[in-house]
Amino acid sequence: AYTLFLSGPDEYTGGELVLMEPAGDREVRLGAGDAVVYPATSLHRVAPVTAGRRLAAVGWVQSRVRDPSARELLFDLQRAR
């Protein structure tokens, strides 16, 4: 899955993408035009927007690696790199 931020962080308050990871929640707030990619199976939420307007595009891509555990290992290796 991916989230492409269309609004800059100065255009709204709140609205962080919160990825729930084993090490704890990770809040993501990027600039307009920046994107974050994460496993579609991971739990996530968006914090309430308290001021302004948050625009984002979300989508999903299909992996050529069929085995979910192999995909997770590749994702972890890339992140550690």
Side-chain angles (χ1 to χ4, degrees):
Y2 65 86
T3 298
L4 171 63
F5 291 80
L6 301 175
S7 300
D10 57 339
E11 298 178 49
Y12 62 96
T13 305
E16 295 84 1
L17 173 65
V18 181
L19 301 171
M20 298 169 210
E21 299 178 339
D25 290 354
R26 179 170 56 121
E27 293 184 353
V28 180
R29 185 180 175 93
L30 301 176
D34 292 334
V36 60
V37 178
Y38 48 92
T41 56
S42 64
L43 295 177
H44 61 281
R45 63 183 172 82
V46 176
V49 175
T50 57
R53 188 166 84 164
R54 175 191 187 268
L55 296 176
V58 297
W60 299 266
V61 293
Q62 185 174 4
S63 176
R64 291 184 176 178
V65 179
R66 291 183 184 261
D67 181 8
S69 60
R71 280 197 311 270
E72 188 172 341
L73 177 61
L74 290 170
F75 179 78
D76 291 341
L77 287 170
Q78 177 63 27
R79 220 168 66 187
R81 189 179 123 220

